[in-house]
Each structure stands twice: as structure tokens, then as C-alpha cells.
Amino acid sequence: DGGITQSPKYLFRKEGQNVTLSCEQNLNHDAMYWYRQDPGQGLRLIYYSQIVNDFQKGDIAEGYSVSREKKESFPLTVTSAQKNPTAFYLCASSRDSDGSNYGYTFGSGTRLTVV
Amino acid sequence: GIQVEQSPPDLILQEGANSTLRCNFSDSVNNLQWFHQNPWGQLINLFYIPSGTKQNGRLSATTVATERYSLLYISSSQTTDSGVYFCAVGNYGGSQGNLIFGKGTKLSVKP
């Protein structure tokens, strides 16, 4: 079945450590997105990529980095510069780069906790 | 950027009841989606509906783009409908190319 796979489901980060969240899709979608969700809140956009080897900052990109070397993969690195990284991270994809006429498909998320 | 407001923030229903969730947005959009987030965090796309009306089983949605609102109807609610319902909007080619999410409506359906 086609879909988006995020790993790991749970991740614990020590102070000052960089961690990388994985996102892989086999839907042949052009565009991919990373969102952050805090308790009781909506989703906020971190980064998005409309095509391989290209990506743009979203609303809360500080302290995060991404790469898009393959169409199927869009990993997110949470760096030590992100002062409050504890949150639920969701990866999504859409068929067209402008998102028109098709909905977003989401992965099952990664819960990141600073210890 | 575009502002998205959802109401009510919380809703408690008895199983079998009907409900209407509302999404207001502050600017013209050409992308509007409704999502359901289950208690485990999984987001499922319910509708892509920048305008018009769609139905899928017990769920239906209507967007009146000229008046900048969308409604999600849930009929004969079931306990599995519990979770958070998000509305998200965007304006590709305009000022907001990516989806902006509202804060959601938390629905609890009691048996």
C-alpha cells in the first residue's frame, strides 16, 4: 500500500544534541512538508519542498534543517539551536507541487522529547 | 497571512447525534481541506473542498468561498468519530502558498 512512513515514533534528545527524523513516501508525490504540533494547537509549517534538491522555509524554520536528495525522502534535523524542540512532528506530501486538486497525505508522526 | 478560526473549540455528543463544525477564514482561498486527527495523532484527509459540497458516508462538507467559511457535518455520530477536526486553507499563487491550519475542534462522542 502507498503511504508515508515516519520513524521513529518516539525520540528522546539530550540537550545540545542534533537528531534526525525520517520521512519516506512511496506515493510518487512531488511535494513534501514538515509540520510541528504542540499540545492543544494546530499545525505549524517548518519546511516544505516542491521538487527534488529544492526546499523553502516555513513559518518556524529556525533551529531546523532539511534535505531533499530523493523524491521519496525528506528528512528533518532538529539542531541544538532549536530551544524548545519537544513536540509532535508530522510529515506530509501532496501530488502536485502547488497542492491543487489533491489533498495532503500525512504520516503517523514522531513524538520528540528533550531529556 | 490568512487567519483561520474554527468553532466550537470543544464539542461533546451522545452517540447517534448530529453536529456541525465551522471554519472561517480571513482571505480568499483556492485550497481548503478538512482533516480528522485520531487520539493516536494520525491525521486523515476527509475532504479537499475549496468550494461547493461533497459527501462521504456520514460526513459532508460545504464551502462558501465568497463568504469565507466552510462547514463540516457529521451525522449519526459514532465513538470512532472522536478526535480533533482541523480545517486548513491556502491560496496557491497568492499570498499564502501553503496550508494554514486552524486550532481544531475537539470532538468527544460518548456511548
Side-chain angles (χ1 to χ4, degrees), chain B residues 44-70:
Chain B
I44 301 297
N45 188 297
L46 299 175
F47 294 104
Y48 171 87
I49 188 167
S51 63
T53 297
K54 290 185 178 180
Q55 180 157 7
N56 184 3
R58 295 182 296 103
L59 273 58
S60 65
T62 295
T63 297
V64 184
T66 53
E67 297 187 21
R68 298 181 183 171
Y69 73 88
S70 182

PDB file of all heavy atoms in Angstrom, chain B residues 44-70:
ATOM      1  N   ILE B  44      -6.009  12.215   9.067  1.00  0.00           N
ATOM      2  CA  ILE B  44      -6.619  11.650   7.872  1.00  0.00           C
ATOM      3  C   ILE B  44      -7.328  12.763   7.109  1.00  0.00           C
ATOM      4  O   ILE B  44      -8.092  13.535   7.695  1.00  0.00           O
ATOM      5  CB  ILE B  44      -7.641  10.562   8.231  1.00  0.00           C
ATOM      6  CG1 ILE B  44      -6.970   9.443   9.024  1.00  0.00           C
ATOM      7  CG2 ILE B  44      -8.296   9.997   6.963  1.00  0.00           C
ATOM      8  CD1 ILE B  44      -5.891   8.706   8.271  1.00  0.00           C
ATOM      9  N   ASN B  45      -7.059  12.829   5.822  1.00  0.00           N
ATOM     10  CA  ASN B  45      -7.725  13.816   4.984  1.00  0.00           C
ATOM     11  C   ASN B  45      -9.165  13.391   4.742  1.00  0.00           C
ATOM     12  O   ASN B  45      -9.423  12.301   4.240  1.00  0.00           O
ATOM     13  CB  ASN B  45      -6.966  13.938   3.663  1.00  0.00           C
ATOM     14  CG  ASN B  45      -7.469  15.088   2.812  1.00  0.00           C
ATOM     15  OD1 ASN B  45      -8.618  15.089   2.383  1.00  0.00           O
ATOM     16  ND2 ASN B  45      -6.615  16.054   2.588  1.00  0.00           N
ATOM     17  N   LEU B  46     -10.103  14.271   5.118  1.00  0.00           N
ATOM     18  CA  LEU B  46     -11.520  13.962   4.930  1.00  0.00           C
ATOM     19  C   LEU B  46     -12.040  14.510   3.607  1.00  0.00           C
ATOM     20  O   LEU B  46     -12.736  13.813   2.864  1.00  0.00           O
ATOM     21  CB  LEU B  46     -12.337  14.553   6.076  1.00  0.00           C
ATOM     22  CG  LEU B  46     -12.021  14.052   7.480  1.00  0.00           C
ATOM     23  CD1 LEU B  46     -12.837  14.819   8.507  1.00  0.00           C
ATOM     24  CD2 LEU B  46     -12.271  12.566   7.591  1.00  0.00           C
ATOM     25  N   PHE B  47     -11.739  15.772   3.355  1.00  0.00           N
ATOM     26  CA  PHE B  47     -12.232  16.429   2.146  1.00  0.00           C
ATOM     27  C   PHE B  47     -11.207  17.432   1.636  1.00  0.00           C
ATOM     28  O   PHE B  47     -10.568  18.135   2.415  1.00  0.00           O
ATOM     29  CB  PHE B  47     -13.543  17.194   2.411  1.00  0.00           C
ATOM     30  CG  PHE B  47     -14.718  16.324   2.758  1.00  0.00           C
ATOM     31  CD1 PHE B  47     -15.147  16.232   4.068  1.00  0.00           C
ATOM     32  CD2 PHE B  47     -15.390  15.621   1.772  1.00  0.00           C
ATOM     33  CE1 PHE B  47     -16.232  15.434   4.392  1.00  0.00           C
ATOM     34  CE2 PHE B  47     -16.477  14.826   2.096  1.00  0.00           C
ATOM     35  CZ  PHE B  47     -16.901  14.733   3.410  1.00  0.00           C
ATOM     36  N   TYR B  48     -11.099  17.506   0.316  1.00  0.00           N
ATOM     37  CA  TYR B  48     -10.480  18.637  -0.370  1.00  0.00           C
ATOM     38  C   TYR B  48     -11.648  19.418  -0.954  1.00  0.00           C
ATOM     39  O   TYR B  48     -12.330  18.917  -1.854  1.00  0.00           O
ATOM     40  CB  TYR B  48      -9.520  18.172  -1.450  1.00  0.00           C
ATOM     41  CG  TYR B  48      -9.019  19.293  -2.323  1.00  0.00           C
ATOM     42  CD1 TYR B  48      -7.907  20.038  -1.956  1.00  0.00           C
ATOM     43  CD2 TYR B  48      -9.674  19.631  -3.505  1.00  0.00           C
ATOM     44  CE1 TYR B  48      -7.459  21.078  -2.738  1.00  0.00           C
ATOM     45  CE2 TYR B  48      -9.224  20.676  -4.292  1.00  0.00           C
ATOM     46  CZ  TYR B  48      -8.125  21.390  -3.911  1.00  0.00           C
ATOM     47  OH  TYR B  48      -7.682  22.427  -4.682  1.00  0.00           O
ATOM     48  N   ILE B  49     -11.927  20.620  -0.438  1.00  0.00           N
ATOM     49  CA  ILE B  49     -13.171  21.289  -0.805  1.00  0.00           C
ATOM     50  C   ILE B  49     -13.020  22.809  -0.803  1.00  0.00           C
ATOM     51  O   ILE B  49     -13.541  23.490   0.090  1.00  0.00           O
ATOM     52  CB  ILE B  49     -14.333  20.821   0.099  1.00  0.00           C
ATOM     53  CG1 ILE B  49     -15.659  21.366  -0.387  1.00  0.00           C
ATOM     54  CG2 ILE B  49     -14.034  21.053   1.577  1.00  0.00           C
ATOM     55  CD1 ILE B  49     -16.877  20.712   0.233  1.00  0.00           C
ATOM     56  N   PRO B  50     -12.327  23.371  -1.807  1.00  0.00           N
ATOM     57  CA  PRO B  50     -12.186  24.832  -1.868  1.00  0.00           C
ATOM     58  C   PRO B  50     -13.497  25.546  -2.192  1.00  0.00           C
ATOM     59  O   PRO B  50     -13.624  26.757  -1.962  1.00  0.00           O
ATOM     60  CB  PRO B  50     -11.155  25.043  -2.970  1.00  0.00           C
ATOM     61  CG  PRO B  50     -11.220  23.808  -3.795  1.00  0.00           C
ATOM     62  CD  PRO B  50     -11.574  22.695  -2.864  1.00  0.00           C
ATOM     63  N   SER B  51     -14.477  24.800  -2.719  1.00  0.00           N
ATOM     64  CA  SER B  51     -15.799  25.361  -2.955  1.00  0.00           C
ATOM     65  C   SER B  51     -16.783  24.213  -3.144  1.00  0.00           C
ATOM     66  O   SER B  51     -16.366  23.073  -3.412  1.00  0.00           O
ATOM     67  CB  SER B  51     -15.811  26.262  -4.192  1.00  0.00           C
ATOM     68  OG  SER B  51     -15.514  25.509  -5.342  1.00  0.00           O
ATOM     69  N   GLY B  52     -18.069  24.526  -2.981  1.00  0.00           N
ATOM     70  CA  GLY B  52     -19.085  23.518  -3.241  1.00  0.00           C
ATOM     71  C   GLY B  52     -19.345  22.580  -2.087  1.00  0.00           C
ATOM     72  O   GLY B  52     -19.012  22.871  -0.943  1.00  0.00           O
ATOM     73  N   THR B  53     -19.981  21.469  -2.394  1.00  0.00           N
ATOM     74  CA  THR B  53     -20.403  20.494  -1.398  1.00  0.00           C
ATOM     75  C   THR B  53     -19.949  19.106  -1.801  1.00  0.00           C
ATOM     76  O   THR B  53     -20.008  18.753  -2.984  1.00  0.00           O
ATOM     77  CB  THR B  53     -21.943  20.507  -1.262  1.00  0.00           C
ATOM     78  OG1 THR B  53     -22.356  21.795  -0.796  1.00  0.00           O
ATOM     79  CG2 THR B  53     -22.418  19.444  -0.284  1.00  0.00           C
ATOM     80  N   LYS B  54     -19.493  18.347  -0.805  1.00  0.00           N
ATOM     81  CA  LYS B  54     -19.114  16.958  -1.023  1.00  0.00           C
ATOM     82  C   LYS B  54     -19.668  16.103   0.105  1.00  0.00           C
ATOM     83  O   LYS B  54     -19.870  16.600   1.220  1.00  0.00           O
ATOM     84  CB  LYS B  54     -17.588  16.806  -1.081  1.00  0.00           C
ATOM     85  CG  LYS B  54     -16.942  17.383  -2.308  1.00  0.00           C
ATOM     86  CD  LYS B  54     -15.441  17.061  -2.324  1.00  0.00           C
ATOM     87  CE  LYS B  54     -14.782  17.596  -3.582  1.00  0.00           C
ATOM     88  NZ  LYS B  54     -13.324  17.304  -3.614  1.00  0.00           N
ATOM     89  N   GLN B  55     -19.887  14.838  -0.195  1.00  0.00           N
ATOM     90  CA  GLN B  55     -20.366  13.916   0.835  1.00  0.00           C
ATOM     91  C   GLN B  55     -19.579  12.629   0.755  1.00  0.00           C
ATOM     92  O   GLN B  55     -19.215  12.150  -0.331  1.00  0.00           O
ATOM     93  CB  GLN B  55     -21.858  13.629   0.653  1.00  0.00           C
ATOM     94  CG  GLN B  55     -22.422  12.672   1.693  1.00  0.00           C
ATOM     95  CD  GLN B  55     -23.912  12.796   1.893  1.00  0.00           C
ATOM     96  OE1 GLN B  55     -24.580  13.521   1.170  1.00  0.00           O
ATOM     97  NE2 GLN B  55     -24.436  12.095   2.873  1.00  0.00           N
ATOM     98  N   ASN B  56     -19.318  12.063   1.936  1.00  0.00           N
ATOM     99  CA  ASN B  56     -18.639  10.781   2.022  1.00  0.00           C
ATOM    100  C   ASN B  56     -19.228  10.035   3.218  1.00  0.00           C
ATOM    101  O   ASN B  56     -18.847  10.272   4.360  1.00  0.00           O
ATOM    102  CB  ASN B  56     -17.135  10.958   2.184  1.00  0.00           C
ATOM    103  CG  ASN B  56     -16.403   9.631   2.174  1.00  0.00           C
ATOM    104  OD1 ASN B  56     -16.994   8.573   1.994  1.00  0.00           O
ATOM    105  ND2 ASN B  56     -15.089   9.677   2.364  1.00  0.00           N
ATOM    106  N   GLY B  57     -20.196   9.185   2.937  1.00  0.00           N
ATOM    107  CA  GLY B  57     -20.847   8.441   4.011  1.00  0.00           C
ATOM    108  C   GLY B  57     -21.608   9.362   4.942  1.00  0.00           C
ATOM    109  O   GLY B  57     -22.445  10.145   4.513  1.00  0.00           O
ATOM    110  N   ARG B  58     -21.281   9.287   6.235  1.00  0.00           N
ATOM    111  CA  ARG B  58     -21.977  10.119   7.229  1.00  0.00           C
ATOM    112  C   ARG B  58     -21.414  11.537   7.304  1.00  0.00           C
ATOM    113  O   ARG B  58     -21.948  12.373   8.030  1.00  0.00           O
ATOM    114  CB  ARG B  58     -21.840   9.458   8.607  1.00  0.00           C
ATOM    115  CG  ARG B  58     -22.539   8.108   8.729  1.00  0.00           C
ATOM    116  CD  ARG B  58     -22.388   7.543  10.130  1.00  0.00           C
ATOM    117  NE  ARG B  58     -20.993   7.253  10.474  1.00  0.00           N
ATOM    118  CZ  ARG B  58     -20.248   8.013  11.263  1.00  0.00           C
ATOM    119  NH1 ARG B  58     -20.741   9.108  11.805  1.00  0.00           N
ATOM    120  NH2 ARG B  58     -19.000   7.675  11.524  1.00  0.00           N
ATOM    121  N   LEU B  59     -20.343  11.792   6.600  1.00  0.00           N
ATOM    122  CA  LEU B  59     -19.728  13.108   6.617  1.00  0.00           C
ATOM    123  C   LEU B  59     -20.033  13.858   5.329  1.00  0.00           C
ATOM    124  O   LEU B  59     -20.063  13.262   4.243  1.00  0.00           O
ATOM    125  CB  LEU B  59     -18.212  12.988   6.764  1.00  0.00           C
ATOM    126  CG  LEU B  59     -17.619  12.904   8.164  1.00  0.00           C
ATOM    127  CD1 LEU B  59     -18.163  11.736   8.942  1.00  0.00           C
ATOM    128  CD2 LEU B  59     -16.105  12.854   8.101  1.00  0.00           C
ATOM    129  N   SER B  60     -20.236  15.146   5.484  1.00  0.00           N
ATOM    130  CA  SER B  60     -20.352  16.010   4.316  1.00  0.00           C
ATOM    131  C   SER B  60     -19.745  17.353   4.658  1.00  0.00           C
ATOM    132  O   SER B  60     -19.593  17.703   5.836  1.00  0.00           O
ATOM    133  CB  SER B  60     -21.807  16.160   3.870  1.00  0.00           C
ATOM    134  OG  SER B  60     -22.566  16.819   4.861  1.00  0.00           O
ATOM    135  N   ALA B  61     -19.381  18.100   3.609  1.00  0.00           N
ATOM    136  CA  ALA B  61     -18.762  19.411   3.810  1.00  0.00           C
ATOM    137  C   ALA B  61     -19.262  20.365   2.754  1.00  0.00           C
ATOM    138  O   ALA B  61     -19.528  19.968   1.613  1.00  0.00           O
ATOM    139  CB  ALA B  61     -17.244  19.299   3.766  1.00  0.00           C
ATOM    140  N   THR B  62     -19.375  21.616   3.166  1.00  0.00           N
ATOM    141  CA  THR B  62     -19.783  22.683   2.254  1.00  0.00           C
ATOM    142  C   THR B  62     -18.864  23.861   2.458  1.00  0.00           C
ATOM    143  O   THR B  62     -18.623  24.277   3.607  1.00  0.00           O
ATOM    144  CB  THR B  62     -21.229  23.120   2.526  1.00  0.00           C
ATOM    145  OG1 THR B  62     -22.107  22.036   2.236  1.00  0.00           O
ATOM    146  CG2 THR B  62     -21.604  24.321   1.680  1.00  0.00           C
ATOM    147  N   THR B  63     -18.348  24.416   1.363  1.00  0.00           N
ATOM    148  CA  THR B  63     -17.544  25.631   1.429  1.00  0.00           C
ATOM    149  C   THR B  63     -18.215  26.719   0.600  1.00  0.00           C
ATOM    150  O   THR B  63     -18.532  26.490  -0.574  1.00  0.00           O
ATOM    151  CB  THR B  63     -16.119  25.392   0.909  1.00  0.00           C
ATOM    152  OG1 THR B  63     -15.475  24.445   1.747  1.00  0.00           O
ATOM    153  CG2 THR B  63     -15.314  26.687   0.924  1.00  0.00           C
ATOM    154  N   VAL B  64     -18.449  27.867   1.232  1.00  0.00           N
ATOM    155  CA  VAL B  64     -18.968  29.042   0.541  1.00  0.00           C
ATOM    156  C   VAL B  64     -17.813  30.026   0.449  1.00  0.00           C
ATOM    157  O   VAL B  64     -17.575  30.833   1.361  1.00  0.00           O
ATOM    158  CB  VAL B  64     -20.170  29.648   1.279  1.00  0.00           C
ATOM    159  CG1 VAL B  64     -20.750  30.814   0.485  1.00  0.00           C
ATOM    160  CG2 VAL B  64     -21.238  28.576   1.516  1.00  0.00           C
ATOM    161  N   ALA B  65     -17.069  29.943  -0.633  1.00  0.00           N
ATOM    162  CA  ALA B  65     -15.823  30.696  -0.748  1.00  0.00           C
ATOM    163  C   ALA B  65     -16.065  32.204  -0.728  1.00  0.00           C
ATOM    164  O   ALA B  65     -15.258  32.955  -0.158  1.00  0.00           O
ATOM    165  CB  ALA B  65     -15.093  30.286  -2.024  1.00  0.00           C
ATOM    166  N   THR B  66     -17.164  32.639  -1.323  1.00  0.00           N
ATOM    167  CA  THR B  66     -17.436  34.087  -1.393  1.00  0.00           C
ATOM    168  C   THR B  66     -17.705  34.670  -0.019  1.00  0.00           C
ATOM    169  O   THR B  66     -17.484  35.860   0.211  1.00  0.00           O
ATOM    170  CB  THR B  66     -18.637  34.363  -2.302  1.00  0.00           C
ATOM    171  OG1 THR B  66     -19.736  33.565  -1.854  1.00  0.00           O
ATOM    172  CG2 THR B  66     -18.297  34.015  -3.746  1.00  0.00           C
ATOM    173  N   GLU B  67     -18.184  33.823   0.916  1.00  0.00           N
ATOM    174  CA  GLU B  67     -18.453  34.292   2.276  1.00  0.00           C
ATOM    175  C   GLU B  67     -17.390  33.809   3.263  1.00  0.00           C
ATOM    176  O   GLU B  67     -17.510  34.029   4.460  1.00  0.00           O
ATOM    177  CB  GLU B  67     -19.840  33.853   2.707  1.00  0.00           C
ATOM    178  CG  GLU B  67     -20.941  34.458   1.842  1.00  0.00           C
ATOM    179  CD  GLU B  67     -22.334  34.166   2.370  1.00  0.00           C
ATOM    180  OE1 GLU B  67     -22.463  33.867   3.572  1.00  0.00           O
ATOM    181  OE2 GLU B  67     -23.281  34.228   1.567  1.00  0.00           O
ATOM    182  N   ARG B  68     -16.388  33.125   2.759  1.00  0.00           N
ATOM    183  CA  ARG B  68     -15.201  32.751   3.524  1.00  0.00           C
ATOM    184  C   ARG B  68     -15.512  31.869   4.733  1.00  0.00           C
ATOM    185  O   ARG B  68     -15.067  32.150   5.865  1.00  0.00           O
ATOM    186  CB  ARG B  68     -14.408  33.990   3.948  1.00  0.00           C
ATOM    187  CG  ARG B  68     -13.914  34.772   2.733  1.00  0.00           C
ATOM    188  CD  ARG B  68     -13.114  35.982   3.107  1.00  0.00           C
ATOM    189  NE  ARG B  68     -12.729  36.737   1.923  1.00  0.00           N
ATOM    190  CZ  ARG B  68     -12.172  37.941   1.964  1.00  0.00           C
ATOM    191  NH1 ARG B  68     -11.937  38.516   3.120  1.00  0.00           N
ATOM    192  NH2 ARG B  68     -11.854  38.556   0.843  1.00  0.00           N
ATOM    193  N   TYR B  69     -16.267  30.800   4.476  1.00  0.00           N
ATOM    194  CA  TYR B  69     -16.463  29.822   5.536  1.00  0.00           C
ATOM    195  C   TYR B  69     -16.707  28.454   4.929  1.00  0.00           C
ATOM    196  O   TYR B  69     -17.074  28.310   3.763  1.00  0.00           O
ATOM    197  CB  TYR B  69     -17.617  30.212   6.471  1.00  0.00           C
ATOM    198  CG  TYR B  69     -19.001  30.049   5.884  1.00  0.00           C
ATOM    199  CD1 TYR B  69     -19.692  28.836   5.990  1.00  0.00           C
ATOM    200  CD2 TYR B  69     -19.630  31.109   5.245  1.00  0.00           C
ATOM    201  CE1 TYR B  69     -20.965  28.692   5.464  1.00  0.00           C
ATOM    202  CE2 TYR B  69     -20.903  30.978   4.715  1.00  0.00           C
ATOM    203  CZ  TYR B  69     -21.559  29.771   4.815  1.00  0.00           C
ATOM    204  OH  TYR B  69     -22.826  29.629   4.303  1.00  0.00           O
ATOM    205  N   SER B  70     -16.463  27.444   5.777  1.00  0.00           N
ATOM    206  CA  SER B  70     -16.724  26.064   5.408  1.00  0.00           C
ATOM    207  C   SER B  70     -17.360  25.362   6.599  1.00  0.00           C
ATOM    208  O   SER B  70     -17.068  25.703   7.753  1.00  0.00           O
ATOM    209  CB  SER B  70     -15.433  25.354   4.996  1.00  0.00           C
ATOM    210  OG  SER B  70     -15.688  24.027   4.591  1.00  0.00           O
TER     211      SER B  70
END
